[in-house]
């Protein structure tokens, strides 16, 4: 579970828009992933190597082209299940309520179905977060297929995420009434203030 939390947080940071903090973000993620074993950290590190050798301007332009200009590659997962329908509004409201149950909220201005939001939630609250990723696995698979068809290096990030979300949910899921244990620390900082306990309200 600790490995999955690290993978989810790393993927959340790598799939977020590459802004001014990108070089430091990339270095922090790569340094944290380097000692981790397995296929999934290797996939994320391969993406990090590609991103390191890509200019910030090209990376930002490619990010917009990859994710913002095609519905087949959008990071907003409810587009794959609900499309542009009224049902999507209800789905987004329900997703936000799920976050709120655990004392968390997406960043201001970001929709709750944005994949980096789901991944960060899974890193902070592994039980309910992993449940949400399982529920959205078909959308994750469609996104991964779209990225592979587009020959995008971001496909490696989705492949890594999918290794943590198998086709079938884990057996004996935790009853909802049992409180979540206090999360173990990740090998790198989350996106909150140093004195934050890890819960964004």
């Amino acid at each position: 579970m600790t490995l999955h939390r690290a993978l989810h947080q790393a993927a959340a940071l790598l799939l977020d828009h590459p802004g001014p903090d990108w070089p430091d973000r990339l270095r922090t993620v790569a340094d944290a992933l380097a000692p981790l074993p397995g296929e999934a950290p290797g996939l994320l590190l391969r993406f990090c190597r590609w991103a390191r050798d890509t200019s910030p301007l090209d990376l930002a332009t490619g990010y917009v082209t990859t994710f913002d200009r095609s519905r087949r590659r959008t990071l907003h997962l409810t587009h794959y299940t609900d499309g542009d329908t009224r049902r999507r509004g209800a789905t987004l409201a329900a997703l936000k309520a799920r976050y709120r149950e655990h004392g968390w909220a997406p960043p201001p201005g970001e929709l709750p179905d944005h994949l980096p939001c789901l991944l960060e939630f899974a890193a902070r609250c592994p039980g309910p977060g992993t449940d949400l990723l399982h529920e959205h696995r078909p959308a994750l698979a469609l996104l991964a297929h779209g990225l592979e068809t587009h020959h995008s290096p971001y496909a490696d990030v989705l492949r890594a995420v999918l290794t943590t979300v198998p086709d079938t949910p884990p057996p004996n899921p935790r009853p909802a009434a049992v409180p979540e244990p206090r999360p173990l620390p990740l090998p790198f900082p989350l996106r909150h203030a140093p004195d934050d306990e890890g819960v964004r309200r």
Side-chain angles (χ1 to χ4, degrees), residues 89-120:
T91 302
L92 291 173
L95 185 54
K96 187 176 292 187
R98 296 272 291 273
Y99 291 153
R100 193 161 48 242
E101 288 174 11
H102 300 278
W104 192 82
E110 190 58 79
L111 292 175
D113 66 336
H114 195 231
L115 179 54
C117 291
L118 268 75
L119 289 168
E120 187 178 348

Side-chain angles (χ1 to χ4, degrees), residues 64-194:
V64 171
T65 300
T66 299
F67 296 117
D68 297 344
R69 295 184 179 172
S70 172
R71 292 186 180 180
R72 295 184 179 183
R73 297 188 301 272
T74 179
L75 290 171
H76 292 283
L77 298 185
T78 59
H79 270 297
Y80 299 99
T81 55
D82 297 330
D84 290 325
T85 64
R86 292 181 180 178
R87 185 175 66 244
R88 183 171 181 240
T91 302
L92 291 173
L95 185 54
K96 187 176 292 187
R98 296 272 291 273
Y99 291 153
R100 193 161 48 242
E101 288 174 11
H102 300 278
W104 192 82
E110 190 58 79
L111 292 175
D113 66 336
H114 195 231
L115 179 54
C117 291
L118 268 75
L119 289 168
E120 187 178 348
F121 179 63
R124 294 168 181 269
C125 302
T130 300
D131 289 345
L132 278 178
L133 290 175
H134 274 290
E135 292 173 22
H136 289 86
R137 193 186 192 286
L140 294 173
L142 286 171
L143 173 56
H145 177 72
L147 293 172
E148 290 165 0
T149 302
H150 190 60
H151 304 292
S152 170
Y154 283 98
D156 278 341
V157 183
L158 265 292
R159 292 187 192 108
V161 170
L162 285 171
T163 67
T164 71
V165 191
D167 288 330
T168 56
N172 301 321
R174 188 198 320 269
V178 177
E180 278 292 307
R182 184 176 180 82
L184 296 173
L186 291 178
F188 46 85
L190 295 164
R191 291 179 292 173
H192 56 246

Side-chain angles (χ1 to χ4, degrees), residues 3-4 6-8 10-11 14 33 36-48 156-165:
L3 176 60
H4 284 188
L7 294 173
H8 292 156
L14 295 176
L33 291 172
L36 300 181
E39 174 191 7
L43 289 168
L44 295 178
L45 285 169
R46 184 165 68 181
F47 174 84
C48 289
D156 278 341
V157 183
L158 265 292
R159 292 187 192 108
V161 170
L162 285 171
T163 67
T164 71
V165 191

